[in-house]
Amino acid sequence: MTNPAPEPAYVAVDWGTSSFRLWLIGKDGSIIAERRSGEGMTTAARTGFAAVLANHLAAVAAPEGLPVLVCGMAGAKQGWVEAGYIDTPAALADIPAAAVRIPGVAADIRILPGLAQRDAAAPDVMRGEETQLLGAAATLGDDDHLVCMPGTHSKWVRLSGGKVLGFSTFMTGELFEAIAKNTILSHAIAEAGAISGETPAFRAAVARMVANPALATSQLFSVRAGSLIAGLSPEDAKARLSGTLIGLEIAGALSLVAEGTPVSLVVSGALGALYSEALAAAGLSPSIIDADTAVRNGLAAGAKALWSL
Amino acid sequence: MTNPAPEPAYVAVDWGTSSFRLWLIGKDGSIIAERRSGEGMTTAARTGFAAVLANHLAAVAAPEGLPVLVCGMAGAKQGWVEAGYIDTPAALADIPAAAVRIPGVAADIRILPGLAQRDAAAPDVMRGEETQLLGAAATLGDDDHLVCMPGTHSKWVRLSGGKVLGFSTFMTGELFEAIAKNTILSHAIAEAGAISGETPAFRAAVARMVANPALATSQLFSVRAGSLIAGLSPEDAKARLSGTLIGLEIAGALSLVAEGTPVSLVVSGALGALYSEALAAAGLSPSIIDADTAVRNGLAAGAKALWSL
């Protein structure tokens, strides 16, 4: 005799710029079904958000009218319905209540807000990461914490007592792509494969940035010069570019917290190994939290707060 | 009665990546004729260096067999004839003797070498700027000096007693283009005109980088975030991008010299005003040397050393 299938309770959706992920969650909290696709905000803005969601709900046979909780770029101005921002300092527990309901549909579909830092010297925004933070809150506890969330736009968040005090977005991933493709460094790294964080050139580049971040754009040129006069291999050149940008990000984040503040890394996939090595090269030993689990836990916390599910 | 035309002594050529400049110089040191074109190394590598030079020599009616001294990228590996490098620490006075003669032609045509810094942590190269330094040497004197030479790849040179102790290339201009065109910041600055160094947003961005350069790539994202949540205008967004990159360069160069080292700015054209404002925002009062004059003086010093002209 097999266990009966759990009864569906709600649908959780992480709707990013270029990716869509949906989970059908049971009343016991289990994952009944999962969908992943490339229909992120950019695609859905053309094909229609409602239609994309309806297709995936049908694919997992979600019962009509099941509540849906969405986080991420679907709530941006260019998204489905603008879900606004909560301003920092922001209590993570306040996020669910600020969700915005999609108007004109029978089902209860809500999008969680992002966070905004309205600081003239360092204005900043996030959308999606706040839900990961909400999901990681129980693990992180109430102590002061620096949370690193790597990506195209890496976020470093200063947490204390369940509140986001402030955060900084570093354009690391996007700069890596723009520099690798559109500058003179492209010649030096053209033939390189994937970067390994274990490459000494990567770790050395991180350490140099932590020691003197002001030399960042000179270290970038050294990728070209090293290739010209020092026989720097394409692999080491690419590792040096990556290590310089990631090391600069680490140096910047550390400059905003007290020395010794515990660091956590919320990450999934290949970036996890790379950032673990980078943080080690900077002398840090972060605790690691899986980003996929964190976003699901955050949506679960939201669903519980909104619908007592 | 008019003065007789001065007798030609030599031809000076500044042959960069994308520009060609030639001066026919008289025995009294005066400029008899000048040519400027876009036939830099990139173009000449396709159409032929000898042919480009011959056309311009004919255009200024240079006498057959007049000696020609060239500096810049024409001496690169991808240039006309590779003119190699002098390694740092390098005495500026040693540059002319290391010029490489074009083989197989009757006329005495020589290309000046570049400088190379063979340092595993900060390998670096220059080609063309060493000739500007040679030309500025008399003005700069023998004291310790930090020389800023802005451009696509800005050079900051540490000089002492007529020697280049070391130098750093910052990819400022090239990064500005790559980031403005190929990242999410393009939306924020799309409609902006030319940057003025007098814009408060520019000066504030420079000052922030000098105060905390580690936050560079976060300050870059703030251009986007400021546009999203703080009404940052396209003009201020562009000024903030430029000020962040130039300020980071200044912070990096200052990190390598003793406080109070005199700073000189070797520059021509619009970049002069921009860098003057940036250096002022960083609390510096540089002496300014015209880059066009400096390269001509450097080629004159070379011609004098090589041919007693």
Side-chain angles (χ1 to χ4, degrees):
Chain A
M1 193 179 131
T2 57
N3 290 328
E7 198 179 336
Y10 68 98
V11 173
V13 178
D14 179 9
W15 208 328
T17 302
S18 58
S19 72
F20 174 95
R21 287 183 302 171
L22 175 149
W23 298 273
L24 179 62
I25 304 292
K27 286 194 168 162
D28 60 353
S30 66
I31 300 170
I32 302 172
E34 179 176 349
R35 302 276 297 173
R36 290 176 181 249
S37 95
E39 293 154 299
M41 179 193 70
T42 311
T43 302
R46 292 195 308 268
T47 61
F49 288 89
V52 169
L53 179 62
N55 284 342
H56 287 284
L57 289 176
V60 299
E64 193 89 9
L66 206 64
V68 178
L69 189 58
V70 178
C71 72
M73 293 300 286
K77 198 178 283 184
Q78 327 89 293
W80 190 356
V81 167
E82 190 173 5
Y85 301 101
I86 301 182
D87 291 355
T88 56
L92 293 172
D94 289 347
I95 292 173
V100 168
R101 190 166 169 177
I102 303 290
V105 295
D108 190 349
I109 305 173
R110 303 196 200 194
I111 308 182
L112 292 169
L115 298 189
Q117 177 168 283
R118 300 184 193 276
D119 168 342
D124 217 324
V125 291
M126 68 166 66
R127 256 190 208 289
E129 292 88 354
E130 75 296 326
T131 305
Q132 292 180 34
L133 289 168
L134 181 62
T139 311
L140 293 169
D142 274 347
D143 292 340
D144 287 3
H145 234 94
L146 182 60
V147 183
C148 168
M149 312 171 91
T152 301
H153 296 159
S154 292
K155 310 282 179 187
W156 284 76
V157 183
R158 300 182 294 287
L159 270 183
S160 182
K163 267 196 179 171
V164 173
L165 301 182
F167 63 96
S168 305
T169 302
F170 298 83
M171 288 181 63
T172 305
E174 186 171 16
L175 286 174
F176 179 87
E177 290 298 321
I179 293 169
K181 286 184 189 156
N182 304 295
T183 72
I184 198 167
L185 301 200
S186 61
H187 306 300
I189 67 173
E191 298 155 31
I195 302 158
S196 162
E198 290 169 23
T199 309
F202 176 80
R203 299 175 65 104
V206 171
R208 277 194 297 269
M209 279 298 95
V210 173
N212 190 354
L215 289 175
T217 60
S218 176
Q219 281 293 310
L220 293 179
F221 186 76
S222 81
V223 172
R224 166 68 171 169
S227 162
L228 277 177
I229 64 168
L232 190 71
S233 71
E235 281 68 27
D236 282 356
K238 193 170 178 183
R240 190 170 184 140
L241 167 58
S242 174
T244 299
L245 291 171
I246 295 176
L248 178 59
E249 165 187 338
I250 293 171
L254 292 181
S255 77
L256 298 175
V257 295
E259 208 178 319
T261 302
V263 175
S264 291
L265 180 57
V266 178
V267 69
S268 291
L271 278 184
L274 201 61
Y275 270 75
S276 292
E277 292 286 351
L279 290 164
L284 299 167
S285 313
S287 56
I288 297 179
I289 294 172
D290 181 71
D292 283 359
T293 307
V295 78
R296 256 191 351 260
N297 285 346
L299 289 162
K304 190 175 172 190
L306 288 169
W307 301 305
S308 311
L309 295 169
Chain B
M1 194 178 133
T2 58
N3 289 328
E7 198 180 335
Y10 68 97
V11 173
V13 179
D14 179 10
W15 209 328
T17 302
S18 57
S19 71
F20 173 95
R21 287 182 303 172
L22 176 149
W23 299 272
L24 179 61
I25 305 293
K27 285 192 172 167
D28 61 353
S30 65
I31 300 170
I32 302 172
E34 178 175 351
R35 303 277 296 172
R36 291 176 181 250
S37 95
E39 293 154 301
M41 179 193 70
T42 311
T43 302
R46 292 196 307 267
T47 61
F49 288 89
V52 169
L53 179 61
N55 284 342
H56 287 283
L57 290 175
V60 297
E64 191 90 10
L66 205 65
V68 178
L69 189 58
V70 179
C71 71
M73 291 301 286
K77 198 178 283 185
Q78 326 89 292
W80 191 355
V81 166
E82 190 173 5
Y85 300 101
I86 300 183
D87 291 355
T88 56
L92 293 172
D94 290 345
I95 292 174
V100 167
R101 191 166 170 179
I102 303 290
V105 294
D108 190 351
I109 305 173
R110 303 196 200 194
I111 308 183
L112 291 169
L115 298 188
Q117 175 168 284
R118 299 184 193 276
D119 168 342
D124 217 323
V125 291
M126 67 165 65
R127 252 187 212 292
E129 292 88 355
E130 75 296 323
T131 306
Q132 293 180 33
L133 290 168
L134 181 62
T139 311
L140 293 168
D142 274 348
D143 292 341
D144 287 3
H145 234 93
L146 181 60
V147 183
C148 168
M149 312 171 90
T152 302
H153 296 159
S154 292
K155 310 280 178 187
W156 285 75
V157 182
R158 300 183 294 286
L159 270 183
S160 182
K163 267 195 179 173
V164 174
L165 301 182
F167 62 95
S168 306
T169 302
F170 298 84
M171 289 181 64
T172 306
E174 186 170 15
L175 286 174
F176 179 87
E177 290 298 320
I179 292 169
K181 285 183 189 157
N182 303 294
T183 73
I184 198 167
L185 301 199
S186 62
H187 306 298
I189 67 174
E191 298 155 32
I195 302 159
S196 161
E198 290 170 23
T199 309
F202 175 81
R203 298 175 65 104
V206 171
R208 277 193 296 269
M209 279 298 95
V210 172
N212 191 353
L215 289 175
T217 60
S218 176
Q219 280 294 309
L220 293 179
F221 186 75
S222 81
V223 172
R224 166 68 172 168
S227 161
L228 277 177
I229 64 168
L232 189 71
S233 71
E235 280 68 28
D236 281 357
K238 194 170 177 183
R240 189 171 186 140
L241 167 57
S242 175
T244 298
L245 291 171
I246 294 176
L248 178 59
E249 166 187 338
I250 293 171
L254 293 180
S255 77
L256 297 175
V257 295
E259 209 177 320
T261 302
V263 175
S264 292
L265 180 57
V266 178
V267 70
S268 291
L271 277 183
L274 200 62
Y275 270 75
S276 292
E277 293 286 352
L279 290 164
L284 299 167
S285 314
S287 56
I288 297 180
I289 295 173
D290 181 71
D292 283 358
T293 308
V295 78
R296 255 191 351 261
N297 285 347
L299 288 162
K304 190 173 172 190
L306 288 170
W307 301 305
S308 310
L309 295 170

